Amino acid sequence: MPLFFHVDLDAFFASVEQREHPEYRGKPVIIGLPVSRSVVSTCSYEARKYGVHSAMPAVTAKKLCPNGIFVPPNMRLYSSVSHSVMSILKEYSPVFHQVSIDEARLDMTGTGKLFGPPKPLALKIKERIKNEIGITMSVGIASSPFIAKMASDYNKPDGLCMVSPGFEQKFIDAIGLEKIWGLGKSSISAMHSHGLFTPVQVRELSLNSLTKTFGKSMGTYVYKAVRGEDPNTYEEARSHSISTETTFFQDVKDSESLHRCLLSMSHELMGRSLDEGVMAKTVGLKLRWGDFTTITVQTTPDYPILNADQIYSISKSLLSSKWKEGEGIRLLGLGLYQTYSSDKPIQDSLFSEGEHKKRELDKVVHALESRGLKLQKASVLEEG
DNA sequence: TCTGGGGTCCTAGGACCC
DNA sequence: TCTGGGGTCCTAGGACCC
């Protein structure tokens, strides 16, 4: 019988801050500063009582909760705490998947002989994390990752919820359509507009009629989900992407600032792609105008993208294809897509020798920077 | 409510090839 | 010549998640 644990750290960033600062405990802690164009990243359960939640504009949070403790995010700290938690969790299953900084999935199938029944085991792991790390977590236990994920949400915070085999559909009925993972605002309102408000109502419709109404993918997804079946046909190891973006305090209108930003983003992306040992076939640019409308452009050149200079020059031409000097830009983003392992032999052109040399230089600079020696790129170039 | 940043996946249209 | 169908890749936009 398959058995999965889904672990979700409670209000993770806020909990870490409360661990570090005893004076924050029991108080509304909000990660994010109450300034224009900023949003709440996470908040403590004390803050949620005021109606504050993730993704809310931080100035709105300030109005709802004037006495809230607003803290800028400290990702380094959270990453290191996350790493410590994950190391402990890994002791309990070799088939371990870290879903995000604060979530993990453990395949516990067949571990009964070693660790005993699931519920006491989960309690034991929770206790360990509380004692050794100093934060609480919620665990969902079920026969599939999909149900386990939603079960972890059921009794938050410091929760434990087990859905016994055979009770998956009952569980879905109990949580309702809105709490089904993967159904967001848009899908829910589409279903409402078709008179569907509960899993029971959706179950009365055939697979055929669901796919006709909601499309093949979404139709199949809800058909399975309302029956308590795992709709995720997730296969691993597909090409992924690396991206970065920034929202300006005020709309930016001049090319010099945008170019400066693209240059530094190009180097950041190059560094991250070197760390991950990947290269990319596609470069994409994202622009958000002052009125919040957002567009993207991407291009897949017929030569290999080898260094930061290339990323930079591609990004500039993408920018000039969509933007004219003087138009206000709220957000600028740059990404690498269609990545592939840099171990693979490069489809090379005859003329890219110089690009390879620049790549080697990028590697050297990145390696030095990673060791904390901040070099002025210009001085390196002079020597080269 | 005046709306971050990092991702994944899906859709639909068009180019191009056989 | 006014015209089929399938496959694959690329592009742009959007939904969704943490």
Side-chain angles (χ1 to χ4, degrees):
Chain A
M1 194 67 190
L3 180 69
F4 292 88
F5 282 15
H6 189 102
V7 172
D8 194 319
L9 307 178
D10 302 319
F12 179 51
F13 298 174
S15 300
V16 173
E17 294 295 345
Q18 288 177 323
R19 183 192 83 162
E20 298 296 301
H21 305 273
E23 69 273 22
Y24 292 174
R25 291 176 198 169
K27 297 201 174 136
V29 173
I30 296 162
I31 308 300
L33 294 180
V35 296
S36 165
R37 299 191 172 183
S38 172
V39 298
V40 174
S41 171
T42 324
C43 61
S44 68
Y45 279 85
E46 293 84 359
R48 295 181 196 198
K49 288 180 198 154
Y50 294 83
V52 179
H53 57 79
S54 297
M56 169 183 277
V59 290
T60 310
K62 181 74 179 170
K63 277 178 203 155
L64 290 172
C65 186
N67 297 322
I69 302 165
F70 289 81
V71 185
N74 181 352
M75 293 311 296
R76 253 175 206 225
L77 173 64
Y78 312 149
S79 294
S80 107
V81 176
S82 168
H83 187 259
S84 309
V85 173
M86 299 300 164
S87 304
I88 294 175
L89 296 180
K90 275 181 204 166
E91 291 177 27
Y92 295 91
S93 170
V95 192
F96 169 92
H97 178 70
Q98 185 171 345
V99 181
S100 69
I101 194 166
D102 63 349
E103 278 181 64
R105 180 204 309 147
L106 286 76
D107 185 343
M108 301 301 290
T109 309
T111 62
K113 275 184 194 150
L114 197 57
F115 296 124
K119 242 181 172 171
L121 173 62
L123 286 169
K124 199 177 124 192
I125 300 174
K126 276 160 59 77
E127 209 43 43
R128 250 194 95 179
I129 300 293
K130 205 180 283 182
N131 293 335
E132 294 178 28
I133 310 290
I135 58 170
T136 65
M137 66 188 209
S138 297
V139 182
I141 304 172
S143 58
S144 73
F146 178 65
I147 299 291
K149 157 81 188 163
M150 290 177 285
S152 75
D153 201 46
Y154 193 71
N155 277 326
K156 264 188 153 303
D158 203 8
L160 174 61
C161 172
M162 175 159 154
V163 179
S164 300
F167 287 82
E168 292 84 358
Q169 186 175 294
K170 280 206 171 98
F171 175 73
I172 292 288
D173 289 349
I175 65 172
L177 223 46
E178 282 78 5
K179 287 279 179 75
I180 294 178
W181 190 89
L183 301 187
K185 229 178 172 179
S186 166
S187 306
I188 290 296
S189 89
M191 293 205 228
H192 286 178
S193 73
H194 284 86
L196 301 170
F197 296 89
T198 66
V200 180
Q201 291 172 328
V202 177
R203 224 178 292 135
E204 284 165 9
L205 273 56
S206 69
L207 176 60
N208 205 292
S209 92
L210 283 172
T211 54
K212 263 184 193 153
T213 314
F214 302 109
K216 194 180 173 193
S217 169
M218 185 52 74
T220 314
Y221 189 93
V222 283
Y223 180 86
K224 288 188 173 177
V226 295
R227 284 166 177 73
E229 296 167 19
D230 195 329
N232 287 314
T233 51
Y234 45 107
E235 79 245 28
E236 304 280 320
R238 278 185 62 174
S239 158
H240 71 292
S241 62
I242 303 172
S243 68
T244 183
E245 62 186 56
T246 187
T247 295
F248 302 115
F249 289 111
Q250 282 190 327
D251 296 354
V252 169
K253 297 177 176 165
D254 66 290
S255 59
E256 206 197 313
S257 307
L258 294 174
H259 285 177
R260 214 181 313 124
C261 192
L262 288 176
L263 180 63
S264 98
M265 287 174 156
S266 300
H267 279 98
E268 184 201 323
L269 294 180
M270 188 64 213
R272 284 167 60 191
S273 71
L274 287 171
D275 286 339
E276 292 188 29
V278 297
M279 304 214 286
K281 285 162 72 178
T282 304
V283 175
L285 183 84
K286 177 171 165 182
L287 296 176
R288 178 168 290 152
W289 312 109
D291 69 357
F292 214 73
T293 57
T294 306
I295 61 154
T296 59
V297 255
Q298 61 179 64
T299 186
T300 307
D302 52 13
Y303 53 84
I305 300 161
L306 296 167
N307 56 60
D309 266 10
Q310 284 180 310
I311 301 172
Y312 178 48
S313 92
I314 292 166
S315 73
K316 276 194 293 186
S317 67
L318 289 174
L319 178 66
S320 67
S321 73
K322 294 288 172 187
W323 173 81
K324 280 196 219 75
E325 187 99 29
E327 291 177 305
I329 301 280
R330 179 191 174 98
L331 171 151
L332 183 65
L334 191 62
L336 301 176
Y337 303 92
Q338 297 207 75
T339 59
Y340 57 98
S341 165
S342 47
D343 299 339
K344 280 190 189 165
I346 300 163
Q347 286 282 348
D348 215 344
S349 82
L350 294 168
F351 309 104
S352 59
E353 202 180 320
E355 304 302 341
H356 281 283
K357 282 188 179 158
K358 283 191 200 164
R359 178 179 179 82
E360 293 310 309
L361 183 58
D362 280 349
K363 282 186 188 171
V364 171
V365 173
H366 179 64
L368 290 171
E369 278 177 355
S370 306
R371 276 191 250 140
L373 297 167
K374 283 273 173 189
L375 285 186
Q376 290 292 356
K377 197 186 172 214
S379 68
V380 174
L381 285 170
E382 275 165 26
E383 287 168 33

